[in-house]
Amino acid sequence: MPNKIPDHKLAKKSVRISVVLVDDHNLVRLGFRRILEDEPDLEVVAEASNGDDAVTLARKLRPDVIVMDCALPGTSGLAATKTILREFPEQLILMLSMHAEDTLVRQAIEAGARGYVLKNAEDIGLGSAIRRVAAGEIVLSPAVSKSPALKGDRDSKLTARELEVLQLIADGHSNKAIADQLNLSANTIAVHRANIMDALGIHKTAELIVYAIRNGLVNIS
C-alpha cells in the first residue's frame, strides 16, 4: 500500500495570476518583471519582444493576462492582440503605450484589449491593473480616462435602465447575456444599445466604452 500523503501537502496552492510580458525593450521588460516579482499573487511565466512571439506564447501557455506593448516592431501589439483574440476570445490583454491619443485608445479597446495603461506614467500601478483585468474589469490609466471626451456633444442623460445596460456592455457582455441577466429579450437590449449610442452621439462599441469610463457613467473600480 502506498504511503499516505500528509494532509498539509494536499492543501490547494494559492491561485496566482499568470502573466506574459511583451515589449521590445529588454530593460523595460526587466523593470516590469521586477515590479511583478514583488507581487505574491502574480507570476511572469514568459516574455516576448515582438508580436509574432506573443502570439506563439499565447497559443502555448494560455496565460491569464498578456501585458502587450502597443508599438512593437513587425507585427504590432494591436495586430497581435487581434490575432490572439480571434483564436482565444477569452484571453485577457492589457495594452501598454507611451501615447494617450484617443485614436490609439479606441483601436486598443476595439481590438479587444481589456485595458490601456501608459508606460511613462510616474506610477502605472501595473500589478493592480493586471488584477483588475483578471477580475473582468476594463482599466484605463488616469491620464487617459480624464482626457477630453471622444464624442458626446449631445446631452448624455440616460435612463436608469440604459445606465444598467451600459454598465453590462462595458463589462463585456453580449446582448443575449445582458438580456438573460435582466430578464429581457435580446431585441429589447438591442434597442437600449441603439438608444444609448444615439443619445451620446456614438456609433461604435469601443468608443462607447471609453466614453462611458471617461465620463463616469460606469463603475470600473
Side-chain angles (χ1 to χ4, degrees):
M1 179 180 295
N3 294 330
K4 181 180 178 181
I5 300 174
D7 291 340
H8 71 276
K9 290 189 176 181
L10 293 175
K12 187 177 180 180
K13 293 175 65 178
S14 298
V15 176
R16 302 181 74 187
I17 299 171
S18 58
V19 179
V20 166
L21 293 176
V22 185
D23 196 290
D24 59 316
H25 296 289
N26 292 335
L27 288 178
V28 172
R29 291 202 314 275
L30 177 60
F32 288 154
R33 175 181 278 276
R34 287 180 174 173
I35 290 173
L36 298 182
E37 283 175 346
D38 291 333
E39 306 285 350
D41 59 331
L42 305 178
E43 179 181 13
V44 177
V45 295
E47 299 178 18
S49 60
N50 59 71
D52 292 333
D53 286 348
V55 174
T56 298
L57 289 174
R59 291 169 177 157
K60 180 180 179 180
L61 301 177
R62 298 300 306 277
D64 295 316
V65 178
I66 298 175
V67 178
M68 180 85 71
D69 183 18
C70 187
L72 293 169
T75 301
S76 70
L78 287 172
T81 294
K82 292 177 182 178
T83 298
I84 292 169
L85 293 177
R86 275 198 300 269
E87 295 188 33
F88 309 109
E90 301 304 314
Q91 177 65 64
L92 300 174
I93 298 178
L94 172 63
M95 193 71 69
L96 293 176
S97 177
M98 294 290 292
H99 309 287
E101 283 83 354
D102 290 344
T103 299
L104 289 175
V105 178
R106 286 199 304 267
Q107 289 176 342
I109 299 300
E110 196 164 39
R114 298 296 293 176
Y116 192 98
V117 177
L118 297 180
K119 291 196 291 185
N120 59 348
E122 182 176 345
D123 180 10
I124 65 174
L126 184 58
S128 174
I130 291 172
R131 290 188 194 92
R132 291 172 61 190
V133 167
E137 298 181 35
I138 293 178
V139 180
L140 297 181
S141 278
V144 172
S145 61
K146 293 178 181 177
S147 64
L150 295 172
K151 299 280 186 179
D153 291 333
R154 305 182 190 184
D155 186 358
S156 61
K157 291 181 179 178
L158 301 175
T159 67
R161 175 63 82 183
E162 287 169 345
L163 287 171
E164 190 174 18
V165 171
L166 180 58
Q167 177 68 61
L168 293 170
I169 291 173
D171 289 340
H173 297 296
S174 65
N175 283 0
K176 184 179 184 307
I178 296 172
D180 291 342
Q181 185 164 332
L182 299 182
N183 198 26
L184 298 170
S185 72
N187 286 338
T188 298
I189 299 303
V191 170
H192 280 310
R193 183 188 289 258
N195 288 342
I196 291 167
M197 289 186 167
D198 184 63
L200 301 180
I202 296 173
H203 304 290
K204 292 184 178 180
T205 299
E207 292 184 1
L208 176 64
I209 292 172
V210 175
Y211 177 89
I213 293 173
R214 286 180 171 176
N215 289 273
L217 299 179
V218 295
N219 179 23
I220 61 170
S221 59

